[in-house]
Amino acid sequence: MTLRLHNTLSGKKEDFKPIDASNVRMYVCGPTVYDYAHIGNARPVVVFDILYRLLRHEYGPEHVTYARNITDIDDKIMKAAAEAGVEISEIAGKYTKIYQDDAAKLNALPPDEEPKATDYLDQMKAMIEKLIADGHAYEAQGHVLFHVPSMKNYGRLSNKNKDELIAGARVEVAPYKKDPRDFVLWKPSTADQPGWDSPWGRGRPGWHLECSCMTEDLAETIDIHGGGLDLIFPHHENEIAQSECAHGKPLANYWVHNGYLVLGGEKMSKSLGNIQTIHGLLKKFPGEALRLTLMSAHYRQPLDFSEEAVKDQKRRLDRWYRITEGAKEGEIPPAVLAALMDDLNTPKAIAALETEKNPGAVLAGARFLGLLTENSDDWFKGGVSDGPSGEEIEALIAERLEARKAKDFARADQIRKDLKAKGIILEDGPGGTIWRRTD
RNA sequence: GGCGCGGUGGCGGAGUGGCUACGCAGAGGACUGCAAAUCCUUGUACCCCGGUUCAAAUCCGGGCCGCGCCUCCA
């Protein structure tokens, strides 16, 4: 079976052919660490984790390298640091840790590499020098700018031509730009701003440059470059410009972009203010329920997010945990793999799991998707919020059992009702009464 | 204005020419002291108008509507 992936470059689904099957390389744009990430930011974490798992399955875990960067120098981080009166490294360190912890709770495997932009200043400066030497960049008023007209193919990822870009420009064009589309590779820092010495004065790198340099560690041409739809332009377009002009070869063969997470039809974004953080949601829902919710729509489609949707997926997981209780992990259902191999069709994979009758196969398929990783007792009795302890609950169950034996059903039902109000469900079965938490 | 997505049953959400997607919710039934859980049965659909075809949710043309990008963004 061949993996099929939708490639933004061609706009089509294509057969995936790695450059070197013994070393498949994928790079995904990670977070700028200046604040809590929102649940929309978690979508690529889960989507590319699925792709990573699939590649490891197909090519062998030791033959896949997955890098996801951390942007730890940026004006937003500088702003947050200035407001808090601390160094940018403190802000970046704090939110990097939170991001990694949250990703782990979503059962995303850690990437093989998590390069930080600030570790790449030498490579960035070297790339700028190369671009200047080759006539692709120029220095102006302490800035170094990439000269877009120096690249004949510019705009082919986002399908934008020169006139459209200029006509649509919604920001004021800096007077030192030779062309309105030119973008910053290096910008000057004032004395009180973080900066690094360079041939163009003390300053800091432009946003796009870091990814062009961090991908160099994988290869000049990598297999897959991923990220959110909103990175296609300008970020990925400009990464392509920098890398391809510096190396004279394609940056990536397959460009994979996930669609937006939306709330009531509108994109979730910090600028719209309609965000819910991953961190906050993890206090209300298990990570697996959030993960499954993020997998419930195809990755290129808009995903309509709501807490109700998460609750639905939580109930689905409850059901799966019941079905697979005590089951031995078997073979991954072929229909699950087939769905994923066809451009990561996770909703179809979930449906395949629903129709699978063999509990061991369900368990294997779900675990392949990063689900059902707990034992079912922990899942049902763990919960995410506070409530009565297990001992208290067991004591009440014992009391209720006595009441039931005495046919005092009013008392028995009252105990069950009280526990339900505290988020505990009691179920009477042939083997006695079992309990679980609803969250 | 340019470019790009999308409109599927009450809801979520797959499906790219003929075959029940799937799940939730609803209805009926089994089980149960009552519940819960589970099992069985079951109804409801392809935005509009043309066209191609033996056959269209699916392909083509034209509308309408929603969303996104056009230098902060996952």
Side-chain angles (χ1 to χ4, degrees):
Chain A
M1 203 186 319
T2 306
L3 172 62
R4 309 258 303 158
L5 282 177
H6 178 92
N7 189 346
T8 307
L9 265 181
S10 64
K12 292 183 185 129
K13 230 193 264 188
E14 299 175 3
D15 288 348
F16 175 70
K17 295 194 187 78
I19 296 161
D20 175 1
S22 69
N23 185 14
V24 180
R25 287 151 289 191
M26 174 166 78
Y27 180 94
V28 173
C29 288
T32 299
V33 281
Y34 69 104
D35 200 354
Y36 289 100
H38 63 69
I39 188 69
N41 298 316
R43 195 170 187 195
V45 172
V46 171
V47 166
F48 291 102
D49 180 61
I50 297 279
L51 180 52
Y52 181 43
R53 287 166 187 261
L54 195 56
L55 291 170
R56 286 162 64 98
H57 183 264
E58 287 300 301
Y59 297 97
E62 67 280 14
H63 298 303
V64 181
T65 307
Y66 170 29
R68 184 181 63 205
N69 73 294
I70 300 285
T71 298
D72 62 348
I73 171 68
D74 174 271
D75 285 10
K76 288 192 289 274
I77 301 172
M78 284 162 50
K79 186 163 175 275
E83 281 168 4
V86 299
E87 298 291 311
I88 57 167
S89 57
E90 193 167 318
I91 295 289
K94 175 185 171 184
Y95 289 108
T96 298
K97 178 76 167 60
I98 290 168
Y99 182 84
Q100 290 169 334
D101 289 350
D102 289 349
K105 284 181 187 158
L106 294 171
N107 286 351
L109 301 171
D112 299 292
E113 312 286 343
E114 289 193 275
K116 293 180 170 64
T118 52
D119 290 334
Y120 284 76
L121 266 298
D122 288 343
Q123 269 177 251
M124 291 194 236
K125 286 185 272 189
M127 186 173 281
I128 293 172
E129 285 183 321
K130 173 95 166 75
L131 290 170
I132 292 174
D134 293 349
H136 290 295
Y138 59 95
E139 193 179 354
Q141 296 184 21
H143 295 71
V144 180
L145 294 146
F146 184 91
H147 193 45
V148 169
S150 74
M151 185 194 190
K152 57 181 186 299
N153 280 336
Y154 185 85
R156 78 182 192 285
L157 181 72
S158 57
N159 244 318
K160 294 184 187 304
N161 67 40
K162 180 181 174 177
D163 293 340
E164 287 159 13
L165 285 168
I166 296 170
R170 60 180 176 184
V171 295
E172 199 177 331
V173 176
Y176 48 79
K177 286 189 179 179
K178 286 186 188 172
D179 184 283
R181 296 168 296 164
D182 291 353
F183 58 90
V184 171
L185 298 174
W186 190 262
K187 57 184 163 188
S189 291
T190 58
D192 59 334
Q193 288 175 323
W196 289 261
D197 290 326
S198 82
W200 320 285
R202 186 172 169 280
R204 56 193 194 275
W207 172 38
H208 316 298
L209 192 57
E210 55 176 80
C211 290
S212 284
C213 291
M214 290 186 275
T215 53
E216 279 184 327
D217 282 5
L218 295 176
E220 291 192 343
T221 299
I222 60 171
D223 293 294
I224 298 168
H225 193 124
L229 193 64
D230 45 358
L231 293 181
I232 294 173
F233 188 87
H235 186 52
H236 289 162
E237 198 69 79
N238 290 348
E239 275 184 50
I240 289 172
Q242 294 160 347
S243 293
E244 300 197 2
C245 288
H247 303 138
K249 55 182 79 160
L251 169 55
N253 287 149
Y254 300 86
W255 287 83
V256 179
H257 293 99
N258 62 274
Y260 296 120
L261 182 142
V262 300
L263 279 181
E266 275 194 321
K267 173 184 172 184
M268 179 179 285
S269 76
K270 280 180 178 152
S271 47
L272 287 171
N274 59 347
I275 65 162
Q276 294 203 64
T277 65
I278 305 169
H279 206 68
L281 286 163
L282 280 169
K283 292 195 162 84
K284 299 170 83 170
F285 302 104
E288 287 193 4
L290 290 170
R291 180 181 176 93
L292 184 55
T293 304
L294 293 170
M295 287 166 39
S296 68
H298 182 83
Y299 79 94
R300 285 190 289 109
Q301 294 301 123
L303 177 84
D304 207 345
F305 185 85
S306 66
E307 295 202 357
E308 203 45 57
V310 184
K311 286 177 190 162
D312 283 350
Q313 301 308 329
K314 162 71 166 64
R315 284 192 286 264
R316 194 201 292 267
L317 287 167
D318 286 346
R319 195 153 35 82
W320 286 355
Y321 268 108
R322 274 188 204 102
I323 293 167
T324 57
E325 190 163 12
K328 187 167 163 288
E329 193 168 331
E331 294 292 316
I332 299 166
V336 169
L337 283 173
L340 296 177
M341 291 296 272
D342 186 13
D343 199 28
L344 309 179
N345 195 332
T346 49
K348 205 171 183 179
I350 291 166
L353 232 34
E354 289 285 357
T355 51
E356 173 62 49
K357 299 297 179 217
N358 180 328
V362 172
L363 189 60
R367 288 202 172 147
F368 185 67
L369 295 169
L371 302 166
L372 304 193
T373 56
E374 298 185 42
N375 77 55
S376 66
D377 212 45
D378 291 344
W379 171 260
F380 287 117
K381 297 185 176 171
V384 291
S385 60
D386 295 334
S389 69
E391 290 77 22
E392 290 172 283
I393 295 164
E394 299 289 354
L396 284 164
I397 288 173
E399 187 189 334
R400 178 167 170 273
L401 183 61
E402 290 306 312
R404 290 180 73 210
K405 275 183 182 164
K407 303 279 184 202
D408 181 0
F409 294 120
R411 175 62 188 151
D413 290 349
Q414 187 60 42
I415 290 169
R416 189 169 57 198
K417 197 179 160 194
D418 289 348
L419 282 171
K420 192 180 180 187
K422 291 172 183 167
I424 313 296
I425 299 286
L426 299 189
E427 295 175 8
D428 299 323
T433 300
I434 58 167
W435 64 275
R436 63 186 163 93
R437 294 184 200 273
T438 51
D439 56 16

